[in-house]
Amino acid sequence: QVQLVESGGGLVQAGGSLRLSCAASGRAFAVDAMGWFRQAPGKEREFVASISWSAGTRRYADSTKGRFTISRDNARNTVSLQMNSLENADTAIYYCAAAPDIATILAPAYWGQGTQVTVSS
C-alpha cells in the first residue's frame, strides 16, 4: 500500500506560520495527486489544498486561498503545506491524502495519520 507520514504540526500564535510536510512511500508510484484535509473539533473533515504530481495543478479551499501554499518535492517524494497568517479557525488535525489522479483527490484513496495544528490567540 501507500504510506503517508505527516510532520510539522504544532502550536502557533494567530498570525504565525507553520509548514507541514507529507512523505509518501510504498506504492507511491500509484499516486499522482496529493493534498491536505483537516478536521477541527466537532467538525467534519474538509478539503484544504491539493496538487497534481504530473501537472502541478494546485487547488485551495476558499478559506485558505491566499494564506496557504501547497508544493511538491519530486526528489524526496513529499508534499508540503506552507500555512501563513494562521487563524484560530485553522486549528485542526491536518491529514495528508493521496489519490491516483487529481480528479479523485476529494475522495482520497490513502490517508496519513494526521498532525495536530493548534492556533492560539
Side-chain angles (χ1 to χ4, degrees):
Q1 70 264 24
V2 173
Q3 293 84 42
L4 304 174
V5 180
E6 304 99 330
S7 62
L11 175 65
V12 64
Q13 290 185 335
S17 299
L18 282 174
R19 186 176 182 87
L20 306 182
S21 181
C22 175
S25 61
R27 294 181 175 269
F29 59 86
V31 171
D32 190 59
M34 296 180 68
W36 293 91
F37 292 72
R38 67 186 182 186
Q39 187 167 16
K43 303 292 185 179
E44 294 186 352
R45 191 172 300 184
E46 65 175 350
F47 169 79
V48 175
S50 66
I51 186 169
S52 168
W53 216 260
S54 59
T57 305
R58 293 173 170 84
R59 180 180 174 183
Y60 298 93
D62 290 341
S63 60
T64 62
K65 191 174 184 178
R67 301 186 298 120
F68 291 10
T69 302
I70 190 169
S71 60
R72 60 184 178 179
D73 186 335
N74 292 341
R76 297 191 297 149
N77 201 29
T78 61
V79 63
S80 298
L81 184 69
Q82 178 67 44
M83 304 185 294
N84 298 326
S85 301
L86 285 164
E87 305 168 353
N88 292 136
D90 296 318
T91 295
I93 300 175
Y94 283 71
Y95 296 91
C96 181
D101 186 83
I102 191 65
T104 57
I105 192 59
L106 295 181
Y110 308 100
W111 293 94
Q113 79 285 355
T115 184
Q116 177 70 48
V117 172
T118 302
V119 183
S120 65
S121 300

Short mmCIF file of all heavy atoms in Angstrom, two decimals, residues 12-83:
data_model
loop_
_atom_site.label_atom_id
_atom_site.label_comp_id
_atom_site.label_asym_id
_atom_site.label_seq_id
_atom_site.Cartn_x
_atom_site.Cartn_y
_atom_site.Cartn_z
N VAL A 12 0.99 27.38 17.45
CA VAL A 12 1.45 28.64 16.90
C VAL A 12 0.44 29.72 17.25
O VAL A 12 -0.76 29.46 17.37
CB VAL A 12 1.65 28.54 15.37
CG1 VAL A 12 0.31 28.28 14.68
CG2 VAL A 12 2.31 29.79 14.82
N GLN A 13 0.93 30.93 17.45
CA GLN A 13 0.04 32.05 17.72
C GLN A 13 -0.66 32.51 16.45
O GLN A 13 -0.15 32.33 15.34
CB GLN A 13 0.82 33.21 18.33
CG GLN A 13 1.32 32.96 19.74
CD GLN A 13 1.97 34.19 20.34
OE1 GLN A 13 2.46 35.07 19.64
NE2 GLN A 13 1.98 34.25 21.67
N ALA A 14 -1.82 33.09 16.63
CA ALA A 14 -2.54 33.64 15.49
C ALA A 14 -1.67 34.63 14.74
O ALA A 14 -0.99 35.47 15.34
CB ALA A 14 -3.83 34.31 15.95
N GLY A 15 -1.69 34.53 13.42
CA GLY A 15 -0.85 35.35 12.58
C GLY A 15 0.48 34.72 12.24
O GLY A 15 1.19 35.22 11.36
N GLY A 16 0.80 33.64 12.92
CA GLY A 16 2.06 32.95 12.68
C GLY A 16 1.98 31.98 11.53
O GLY A 16 0.98 31.90 10.81
N SER A 17 3.05 31.21 11.39
CA SER A 17 3.17 30.29 10.26
C SER A 17 3.63 28.92 10.71
O SER A 17 4.33 28.77 11.71
CB SER A 17 4.18 30.83 9.23
OG SER A 17 3.77 32.08 8.71
N LEU A 18 3.24 27.92 9.95
CA LEU A 18 3.71 26.56 10.10
C LEU A 18 3.87 25.96 8.72
O LEU A 18 3.18 26.36 7.78
CB LEU A 18 2.74 25.70 10.91
CG LEU A 18 2.73 25.84 12.43
CD1 LEU A 18 1.60 24.99 13.01
CD2 LEU A 18 4.07 25.43 13.03
N ARG A 19 4.77 25.00 8.62
CA ARG A 19 4.96 24.28 7.38
C ARG A 19 4.80 22.79 7.65
O ARG A 19 5.58 22.21 8.41
CB ARG A 19 6.33 24.56 6.77
CG ARG A 19 6.53 23.95 5.39
CD ARG A 19 7.87 24.34 4.79
NE ARG A 19 8.06 23.80 3.46
CZ ARG A 19 7.66 24.37 2.34
NH1 ARG A 19 7.02 25.54 2.39
NH2 ARG A 19 7.88 23.79 1.17
N LEU A 20 3.80 22.20 7.04
CA LEU A 20 3.56 20.78 7.16
C LEU A 20 4.22 20.04 6.01
O LEU A 20 4.33 20.57 4.90
CB LEU A 20 2.07 20.47 7.17
CG LEU A 20 1.21 21.22 8.19
CD1 LEU A 20 -0.24 20.76 8.09
CD2 LEU A 20 1.73 21.00 9.60
N SER A 21 4.63 18.83 6.29
CA SER A 21 5.25 18.01 5.26
C SER A 21 4.63 16.62 5.28
O SER A 21 4.26 16.11 6.34
CB SER A 21 6.76 17.92 5.48
OG SER A 21 7.38 17.14 4.47
N CYS A 22 4.53 16.02 4.13
CA CYS A 22 3.98 14.68 3.99
C CYS A 22 4.88 13.88 3.06
O CYS A 22 5.08 14.26 1.90
CB CYS A 22 2.56 14.72 3.45
SG CYS A 22 1.85 13.09 3.12
N ALA A 23 5.41 12.78 3.57
CA ALA A 23 6.28 11.92 2.79
C ALA A 23 5.52 10.66 2.38
O ALA A 23 4.89 10.01 3.21
CB ALA A 23 7.52 11.54 3.58
N ALA A 24 5.58 10.34 1.11
CA ALA A 24 4.92 9.16 0.58
C ALA A 24 5.93 8.04 0.37
O ALA A 24 7.05 8.27 -0.08
CB ALA A 24 4.22 9.47 -0.73
N SER A 25 5.51 6.83 0.69
CA SER A 25 6.36 5.67 0.49
C SER A 25 5.50 4.47 0.11
O SER A 25 4.28 4.57 0.01
CB SER A 25 7.18 5.37 1.75
OG SER A 25 6.34 5.08 2.85
N GLY A 26 6.14 3.33 -0.09
CA GLY A 26 5.43 2.16 -0.53
C GLY A 26 5.12 2.23 -2.01
O GLY A 26 6.01 2.50 -2.82
N ARG A 27 3.87 2.02 -2.36
CA ARG A 27 3.45 2.07 -3.76
C ARG A 27 3.14 3.50 -4.18
O ARG A 27 2.08 3.80 -4.72
CB ARG A 27 2.23 1.18 -3.98
CG ARG A 27 2.53 -0.30 -3.81
CD ARG A 27 1.29 -1.14 -4.08
NE ARG A 27 1.59 -2.56 -4.03
CZ ARG A 27 1.96 -3.28 -5.08
NH1 ARG A 27 2.06 -2.72 -6.27
NH2 ARG A 27 2.23 -4.58 -4.93
N ALA A 28 4.09 4.39 -3.92
CA ALA A 28 3.89 5.80 -4.23
C ALA A 28 3.79 6.05 -5.72
O ALA A 28 3.29 7.11 -6.14
CB ALA A 28 5.02 6.63 -3.63
N PHE A 29 4.26 5.11 -6.52
CA PHE A 29 4.16 5.27 -7.97
C PHE A 29 2.71 5.30 -8.44
O PHE A 29 2.43 5.77 -9.54
CB PHE A 29 4.92 4.15 -8.68
CG PHE A 29 4.43 2.77 -8.35
CD1 PHE A 29 3.37 2.22 -9.04
CD2 PHE A 29 5.03 2.03 -7.35
CE1 PHE A 29 2.90 0.95 -8.74
CE2 PHE A 29 4.59 0.76 -7.04
CZ PHE A 29 3.52 0.22 -7.74
N ALA A 30 1.81 4.79 -7.63
CA ALA A 30 0.39 4.77 -7.97
C ALA A 30 -0.30 6.10 -7.67
O ALA A 30 -1.48 6.24 -7.96
CB ALA A 30 -0.32 3.65 -7.24
N VAL A 31 0.43 7.04 -7.11
CA VAL A 31 -0.14 8.31 -6.69
C VAL A 31 0.26 9.41 -7.66
O VAL A 31 1.43 9.58 -7.97
CB VAL A 31 0.33 8.67 -5.27
CG1 VAL A 31 -0.08 10.10 -4.92
CG2 VAL A 31 -0.23 7.69 -4.27
N ASP A 32 -0.72 10.14 -8.15
CA ASP A 32 -0.45 11.28 -9.00
C ASP A 32 -0.96 12.59 -8.40
O ASP A 32 -0.67 13.65 -8.93
CB ASP A 32 -1.04 11.09 -10.39
CG ASP A 32 -0.56 12.14 -11.37
OD1 ASP A 32 0.66 12.24 -11.59
OD2 ASP A 32 -1.40 12.89 -11.91
N ALA A 33 -1.72 12.50 -7.34
CA ALA A 33 -2.24 13.69 -6.69
C ALA A 33 -2.14 13.54 -5.19
O ALA A 33 -2.41 12.47 -4.64
CB ALA A 33 -3.69 13.95 -7.10
N MET A 34 -1.75 14.60 -4.54
CA MET A 34 -1.69 14.62 -3.09
C MET A 34 -2.31 15.90 -2.59
O MET A 34 -2.38 16.89 -3.31
CB MET A 34 -0.24 14.48 -2.59
CG MET A 34 0.40 13.16 -2.95
SD MET A 34 2.11 13.00 -2.37
CE MET A 34 1.84 12.94 -0.59
N GLY A 35 -2.74 15.85 -1.35
CA GLY A 35 -3.38 17.03 -0.81
C GLY A 35 -3.47 16.97 0.70
O GLY A 35 -2.96 16.06 1.35
N TRP A 36 -4.12 17.98 1.21
CA TRP A 36 -4.30 18.12 2.65
C TRP A 36 -5.76 18.33 2.98
O TRP A 36 -6.47 19.08 2.30
CB TRP A 36 -3.49 19.30 3.19
CG TRP A 36 -2.01 19.09 3.11
CD1 TRP A 36 -1.19 19.44 2.09
CD2 TRP A 36 -1.19 18.48 4.11
NE1 TRP A 36 0.10 19.08 2.38
CE2 TRP A 36 0.13 18.50 3.61
CE3 TRP A 36 -1.44 17.93 5.36
CZ2 TRP A 36 1.20 17.98 4.33
CZ3 TRP A 36 -0.39 17.41 6.08
CH2 TRP A 36 0.92 17.43 5.56
N PHE A 37 -6.20 17.66 4.02
CA PHE A 37 -7.51 17.86 4.61
C PHE A 37 -7.32 18.21 6.07
O PHE A 37 -6.23 18.00 6.62
CB PHE A 37 -8.38 16.60 4.48
CG PHE A 37 -8.79 16.29 3.07
CD1 PHE A 37 -7.89 15.80 2.14
CD2 PHE A 37 -10.11 16.48 2.67
CE1 PHE A 37 -8.27 15.50 0.85
CE2 PHE A 37 -10.51 16.17 1.37
CZ PHE A 37 -9.59 15.69 0.46
N ARG A 38 -8.35 18.70 6.68
CA ARG A 38 -8.27 18.99 8.10
C ARG A 38 -9.60 18.72 8.77
O ARG A 38 -10.65 18.78 8.15
CB ARG A 38 -7.83 20.44 8.37
CG ARG A 38 -8.84 21.49 7.93
CD ARG A 38 -8.26 22.88 8.10
NE ARG A 38 -9.21 23.92 7.75
CZ ARG A 38 -8.92 25.21 7.71
NH1 ARG A 38 -7.69 25.63 8.01
NH2 ARG A 38 -9.85 26.10 7.38
N GLN A 39 -9.54 18.42 10.05
CA GLN A 39 -10.73 18.17 10.82
C GLN A 39 -10.61 18.90 12.15
O GLN A 39 -9.77 18.55 12.98
CB GLN A 39 -10.95 16.68 11.05
CG GLN A 39 -12.28 16.35 11.71
CD GLN A 39 -12.61 14.87 11.62
OE1 GLN A 39 -11.76 14.04 11.35
NE2 GLN A 39 -13.87 14.55 11.85
N ALA A 40 -11.44 19.90 12.33
CA ALA A 40 -11.47 20.66 13.56
C ALA A 40 -12.36 19.94 14.57
O ALA A 40 -13.21 19.12 14.21
CB ALA A 40 -12.00 22.06 13.30
N PRO A 41 -12.17 20.24 15.85
CA PRO A 41 -13.01 19.61 16.88
C PRO A 41 -14.49 19.82 16.61
O PRO A 41 -14.94 20.94 16.41
CB PRO A 41 -12.57 20.30 18.16
CG PRO A 41 -11.18 20.75 17.89
CD PRO A 41 -11.16 21.13 16.44
N GLY A 42 -15.24 18.73 16.60
CA GLY A 42 -16.67 18.81 16.38
C GLY A 42 -17.08 19.07 14.95
O GLY A 42 -18.28 19.25 14.69
N LYS A 43 -16.14 19.10 14.04
CA LYS A 43 -16.43 19.38 12.65
C LYS A 43 -16.09 18.18 11.77
O LYS A 43 -15.33 17.30 12.16
CB LYS A 43 -15.65 20.60 12.16
CG LYS A 43 -15.88 21.87 12.96
CD LYS A 43 -17.28 22.39 12.78
CE LYS A 43 -17.46 23.72 13.49
NZ LYS A 43 -18.83 24.27 13.31
N GLU A 44 -16.67 18.17 10.59
CA GLU A 44 -16.33 17.14 9.62
C GLU A 44 -15.03 17.49 8.93
O GLU A 44 -14.61 18.64 8.87
CB GLU A 44 -17.45 16.99 8.59
CG GLU A 44 -18.76 16.47 9.16
CD GLU A 44 -19.80 16.20 8.10
OE1 GLU A 44 -19.56 16.56 6.92
OE2 GLU A 44 -20.84 15.63 8.42
N ARG A 45 -14.39 16.47 8.41
CA ARG A 45 -13.15 16.67 7.69
C ARG A 45 -13.41 17.48 6.42
O ARG A 45 -14.38 17.23 5.70
CB ARG A 45 -12.52 15.33 7.34
CG ARG A 45 -11.11 15.42 6.81
CD ARG A 45 -10.48 14.03 6.68
NE ARG A 45 -10.42 13.35 7.96
CZ ARG A 45 -9.86 12.16 8.15
NH1 ARG A 45 -9.30 11.53 7.13
NH2 ARG A 45 -9.85 11.60 9.35
N GLU A 46 -12.55 18.45 6.15
CA GLU A 46 -12.74 19.31 5.00
C GLU A 46 -11.46 19.41 4.17
O GLU A 46 -10.35 19.27 4.68
CB GLU A 46 -13.18 20.71 5.42
CG GLU A 46 -12.15 21.47 6.24
CD GLU A 46 -12.57 22.90 6.55
OE1 GLU A 46 -13.57 23.36 5.96
OE2 GLU A 46 -11.91 23.55 7.37
N PHE A 47 -11.65 19.67 2.91
CA PHE A 47 -10.56 19.83 1.98
C PHE A 47 -9.81 21.12 2.24
O PHE A 47 -10.41 22.16 2.52
CB PHE A 47 -11.09 19.81 0.55
CG PHE A 47 -10.10 20.22 -0.49
CD1 PHE A 47 -9.14 19.34 -0.94
CD2 PHE A 47 -10.14 21.50 -1.02
CE1 PHE A 47 -8.22 19.72 -1.91
CE2 PHE A 47 -9.24 21.89 -1.98
CZ PHE A 47 -8.27 21.00 -2.43
N VAL A 48 -8.49 21.08 2.13
CA VAL A 48 -7.66 22.26 2.32
C VAL A 48 -6.95 22.65 1.02
O VAL A 48 -7.08 23.78 0.56
CB VAL A 48 -6.61 22.04 3.43
CG1 VAL A 48 -5.67 23.24 3.52
CG2 VAL A 48 -7.31 21.79 4.77
N ALA A 49 -6.19 21.72 0.46
CA ALA A 49 -5.43 22.03 -0.74
C ALA A 49 -4.99 20.73 -1.41
O ALA A 49 -4.90 19.69 -0.76
CB ALA A 49 -4.20 22.89 -0.42
N SER A 50 -4.69 20.81 -2.69
CA SER A 50 -4.22 19.64 -3.42
C SER A 50 -3.27 20.07 -4.52
O SER A 50 -3.25 21.23 -4.94
CB SER A 50 -5.39 18.84 -4.01
OG SER A 50 -6.07 19.59 -5.00
N ILE A 51 -2.51 19.11 -5.00
CA ILE A 51 -1.59 19.35 -6.10
C ILE A 51 -1.47 18.09 -6.94
O ILE A 51 -1.42 16.99 -6.41
CB ILE A 51 -0.21 19.83 -5.59
CG1 ILE A 51 0.69 20.22 -6.76
CG2 ILE A 51 0.44 18.77 -4.72
CD1 ILE A 51 1.96 20.93 -6.33
N SER A 52 -1.44 18.28 -8.24
CA SER A 52 -1.21 17.18 -9.16
C SER A 52 0.28 16.98 -9.35
O SER A 52 1.02 17.94 -9.60
CB SER A 52 -1.88 17.47 -10.51
OG SER A 52 -1.46 16.55 -11.50
N TRP A 53 0.72 15.72 -9.22
CA TRP A 53 2.15 15.46 -9.35
C TRP A 53 2.64 15.66 -10.77
O TRP A 53 3.72 16.19 -11.00
CB TRP A 53 2.46 14.04 -8.86
CG TRP A 53 3.76 13.96 -8.16
CD1 TRP A 53 4.94 13.53 -8.67
CD2 TRP A 53 4.02 14.34 -6.82
NE1 TRP A 53 5.93 13.61 -7.73
CE2 TRP A 53 5.40 14.10 -6.58
CE3 TRP A 53 3.23 14.85 -5.78
CZ2 TRP A 53 5.99 14.37 -5.34
CZ3 TRP A 53 3.81 15.13 -4.56
CH2 TRP A 53 5.18 14.88 -4.35
N SER A 54 1.86 15.23 -11.73
CA SER A 54 2.28 15.30 -13.12
C SER A 54 2.13 16.69 -13.71
O SER A 54 3.00 17.16 -14.45
CB SER A 54 1.51 14.29 -13.96
OG SER A 54 0.11 14.52 -13.89
N ALA A 55 1.03 17.36 -13.39
CA ALA A 55 0.75 18.66 -13.99
C ALA A 55 1.08 19.83 -13.09
O ALA A 55 1.23 20.96 -13.57
CB ALA A 55 -0.72 18.74 -14.41
N GLY A 56 1.17 19.59 -11.79
CA GLY A 56 1.44 20.67 -10.86
C GLY A 56 0.25 21.56 -10.57
O GLY A 56 0.42 22.62 -9.96
N THR A 57 -0.92 21.15 -11.00
CA THR A 57 -2.13 21.94 -10.78
C THR A 57 -2.45 22.02 -9.30
O THR A 57 -2.51 21.01 -8.61
CB THR A 57 -3.31 21.33 -11.54
OG1 THR A 57 -2.97 21.21 -12.93
CG2 THR A 57 -4.54 22.22 -11.40
N ARG A 58 -2.68 23.22 -8.83
CA ARG A 58 -2.98 23.46 -7.43
C ARG A 58 -4.42 23.89 -7.23
O ARG A 58 -4.99 24.59 -8.07
CB ARG A 58 -2.04 24.51 -6.85
CG ARG A 58 -0.59 24.09 -6.77
CD ARG A 58 0.29 25.24 -6.36
NE ARG A 58 1.65 24.82 -6.06
CZ ARG A 58 2.60 24.65 -6.96
NH1 ARG A 58 2.35 24.85 -8.24
NH2 ARG A 58 3.82 24.28 -6.59
N ARG A 59 -4.98 23.48 -6.12
CA ARG A 59 -6.34 23.85 -5.76
C ARG A 59 -6.39 24.12 -4.26
O ARG A 59 -5.76 23.41 -3.48
CB ARG A 59 -7.33 22.75 -6.14
CG ARG A 59 -8.77 23.07 -5.79
CD ARG A 59 -9.69 21.92 -6.20
NE ARG A 59 -11.05 22.14 -5.75
CZ ARG A 59 -12.03 21.28 -5.92
NH1 ARG A 59 -11.81 20.14 -6.54
NH2 ARG A 59 -13.25 21.57 -5.47
N TYR A 60 -7.14 25.14 -3.88
CA TYR A 60 -7.23 25.53 -2.49
C TYR A 60 -8.67 25.73 -2.08
O TYR A 60 -9.51 26.14 -2.88
CB TYR A 60 -6.47 26.83 -2.23
CG TYR A 60 -4.99 26.76 -2.51
CD1 TYR A 60 -4.48 27.13 -3.75
CD2 TYR A 60 -4.11 26.33 -1.53
CE1 TYR A 60 -3.12 27.06 -4.00
CE2 TYR A 60 -2.75 26.26 -1.78
CZ TYR A 60 -2.26 26.63 -3.01
OH TYR A 60 -0.91 26.56 -3.26
N ALA A 61 -8.93 25.44 -0.83
CA ALA A 61 -10.22 25.80 -0.27
C ALA A 61 -10.31 27.32 -0.16
O ALA A 61 -9.30 28.00 0.03
CB ALA A 61 -10.40 25.16 1.11
N ASP A 62 -11.52 27.84 -0.28
CA ASP A 62 -11.70 29.29 -0.21
C ASP A 62 -11.18 29.87 1.10
O ASP A 62 -10.67 30.99 1.13
CB ASP A 62 -13.18 29.64 -0.39
CG ASP A 62 -13.67 29.39 -1.81
OD1 ASP A 62 -12.83 29.30 -2.73
OD2 ASP A 62 -14.90 29.30 -1.99
N SER A 63 -11.31 29.12 2.17
CA SER A 63 -10.92 29.62 3.47
C SER A 63 -9.41 29.75 3.65
O SER A 63 -8.95 30.46 4.54
CB SER A 63 -11.48 28.71 4.57
OG SER A 63 -10.99 27.39 4.44
N THR A 64 -8.64 29.07 2.81
CA THR A 64 -7.19 29.07 2.94
C THR A 64 -6.48 29.71 1.75
O THR A 64 -5.27 29.98 1.85
CB THR A 64 -6.66 27.65 3.12
OG1 THR A 64 -6.97 26.86 1.97
CG2 THR A 64 -7.27 27.00 4.36
N LYS A 65 -7.18 29.94 0.69
CA LYS A 65 -6.57 30.51 -0.51
C LYS A 65 -5.97 31.88 -0.20
O LYS A 65 -6.60 32.73 0.40
CB LYS A 65 -7.60 30.62 -1.62
CG LYS A 65 -7.01 30.95 -2.98
CD LYS A 65 -8.08 30.89 -4.06
CE LYS A 65 -7.51 31.14 -5.43
NZ LYS A 65 -8.55 31.04 -6.49
N GLY A 66 -4.72 32.07 -0.62
CA GLY A 66 -4.02 33.31 -0.35
C GLY A 66 -3.18 33.26 0.90
O GLY A 66 -2.28 34.09 1.07
N ARG A 67 -3.46 32.32 1.79
CA ARG A 67 -2.69 32.15 3.02
C ARG A 67 -1.86 30.88 3.01
O ARG A 67 -0.78 30.84 3.59
CB ARG A 67 -3.62 32.14 4.24
CG ARG A 67 -4.44 33.41 4.40
CD ARG A 67 -5.22 33.40 5.72
NE ARG A 67 -6.18 32.30 5.77
CZ ARG A 67 -6.17 31.33 6.69
NH1 ARG A 67 -5.24 31.33 7.64
NH2 ARG A 67 -7.10 30.38 6.67
N PHE A 68 -2.39 29.85 2.39
CA PHE A 68 -1.71 28.55 2.35
C PHE A 68 -1.14 28.31 0.96
O PHE A 68 -1.72 28.72 -0.04
CB PHE A 68 -2.68 27.42 2.69
CG PHE A 68 -3.15 27.38 4.11
CD1 PHE A 68 -2.90 28.43 4.99
CD2 PHE A 68 -3.85 26.29 4.58
CE1 PHE A 68 -3.34 28.40 6.30
CE2 PHE A 68 -4.29 26.23 5.89
CZ PHE A 68 -4.04 27.28 6.75
N THR A 69 -0.02 27.63 0.92
CA THR A 69 0.61 27.26 -0.34
C THR A 69 1.02 25.80 -0.29
O THR A 69 1.75 25.39 0.60
CB THR A 69 1.84 28.13 -0.64
OG1 THR A 69 1.47 29.51 -0.67
CG2 THR A 69 2.43 27.75 -1.99
N ILE A 70 0.55 25.03 -1.25
CA ILE A 70 0.95 23.63 -1.35
C ILE A 70 2.05 23.51 -2.40
O ILE A 70 2.02 24.18 -3.42
CB ILE A 70 -0.26 22.73 -1.69
CG1 ILE A 70 0.12 21.26 -1.55
CG2 ILE A 70 -0.81 23.03 -3.07
CD1 ILE A 70 -1.08 20.31 -1.60
N SER A 71 3.01 22.66 -2.12
CA SER A 71 4.13 22.47 -3.04
C SER A 71 4.59 21.02 -3.00
O SER A 71 4.21 20.26 -2.10
CB SER A 71 5.29 23.41 -2.71
OG SER A 71 5.77 23.17 -1.40
N ARG A 72 5.39 20.65 -3.96
CA ARG A 72 5.88 19.29 -4.06
C ARG A 72 7.39 19.27 -4.18
O ARG A 72 8.01 20.23 -4.65
CB ARG A 72 5.25 18.58 -5.26
CG ARG A 72 5.57 19.28 -6.59
CD ARG A 72 4.87 18.63 -7.75
NE ARG A 72 5.15 19.33 -9.00
CZ ARG A 72 4.69 18.97 -10.17
NH1 ARG A 72 3.91 17.90 -10.28
NH2 ARG A 72 5.00 19.68 -11.26
N ASP A 73 7.98 18.18 -3.73
CA ASP A 73 9.41 17.95 -3.84
C ASP A 73 9.58 16.59 -4.48
O ASP A 73 9.46 15.56 -3.82
CB ASP A 73 10.09 18.01 -2.48
CG ASP A 73 11.60 17.92 -2.56
OD1 ASP A 73 12.12 17.37 -3.55
OD2 ASP A 73 12.27 18.40 -1.63
N ASN A 74 9.84 16.59 -5.78
CA ASN A 74 9.94 15.33 -6.51
C ASN A 74 11.08 14.45 -6.02
O ASN A 74 10.95 13.22 -5.98
CB ASN A 74 10.11 15.60 -8.00
CG ASN A 74 8.88 16.22 -8.63
OD1 ASN A 74 7.78 16.15 -8.08
ND2 ASN A 74 9.06 16.82 -9.80
N ALA A 75 12.19 15.07 -5.65
CA ALA A 75 13.36 14.31 -5.23
C ALA A 75 13.09 13.53 -3.95
O ALA A 75 13.59 12.41 -3.79
CB ALA A 75 14.55 15.24 -5.05
N ARG A 76 12.32 14.09 -3.06
CA ARG A 76 12.04 13.43 -1.79
C ARG A 76 10.66 12.80 -1.74
O ARG A 76 10.28 12.22 -0.72
CB ARG A 76 12.18 14.43 -0.64
CG ARG A 76 13.59 14.98 -0.47
CD ARG A 76 13.70 15.74 0.83
NE ARG A 76 12.82 16.89 0.86
CZ ARG A 76 12.26 17.38 1.97
NH1 ARG A 76 12.49 16.80 3.14
NH2 ARG A 76 11.48 18.44 1.91
N ASN A 77 9.91 12.91 -2.84
CA ASN A 77 8.56 12.36 -2.92
C ASN A 77 7.70 12.86 -1.76
O ASN A 77 7.04 12.07 -1.06
CB ASN A 77 8.59 10.83 -2.95
CG ASN A 77 7.32 10.24 -3.52
OD1 ASN A 77 6.65 10.85 -4.35
ND2 ASN A 77 6.99 9.03 -3.09
N THR A 78 7.74 14.15 -1.56
CA THR A 78 6.99 14.76 -0.47
C THR A 78 6.15 15.93 -0.98
O THR A 78 6.41 16.50 -2.03
CB THR A 78 7.92 15.28 0.64
OG1 THR A 78 8.79 16.29 0.09
CG2 THR A 78 8.75 14.16 1.22
N VAL A 79 5.14 16.25 -0.21
CA VAL A 79 4.33 17.42 -0.47
C VAL A 79 4.28 18.23 0.82
O VAL A 79 4.24 17.67 1.92
CB VAL A 79 2.92 17.04 -0.95
CG1 VAL A 79 2.16 16.27 0.12
CG2 VAL A 79 2.14 18.28 -1.37
N SER A 80 4.33 19.54 0.68
CA SER A 80 4.34 20.43 1.83
C SER A 80 3.18 21.39 1.77
O SER A 80 2.64 21.68 0.70
CB SER A 80 5.65 21.20 1.90
OG SER A 80 6.76 20.34 2.06
N LEU A 81 2.81 21.88 2.93
CA LEU A 81 1.77 22.90 3.03
C LEU A 81 2.31 24.03 3.90
O LEU A 81 2.48 23.86 5.11
CB LEU A 81 0.50 22.32 3.64
CG LEU A 81 -0.69 23.29 3.72
CD1 LEU A 81 -1.22 23.60 2.32
CD2 LEU A 81 -1.80 22.72 4.60
N GLN A 82 2.62 25.14 3.26
CA GLN A 82 3.06 26.32 3.97
C GLN A 82 1.83 27.11 4.40
O GLN A 82 1.04 27.54 3.55
CB GLN A 82 3.97 27.19 3.09
CG GLN A 82 4.43 28.48 3.75
CD GLN A 82 5.35 28.22 4.92
OE1 GLN A 82 6.25 27.39 4.84
NE2 GLN A 82 5.14 28.94 6.01
N MET A 83 1.67 27.30 5.69
CA MET A 83 0.50 27.96 6.23
C MET A 83 0.93 29.27 6.87
O MET A 83 1.67 29.27 7.86
CB MET A 83 -0.21 27.07 7.25
CG MET A 83 -0.60 25.70 6.70
SD MET A 83 -1.57 24.71 7.87
CE MET A 83 -0.32 24.46 9.15
#
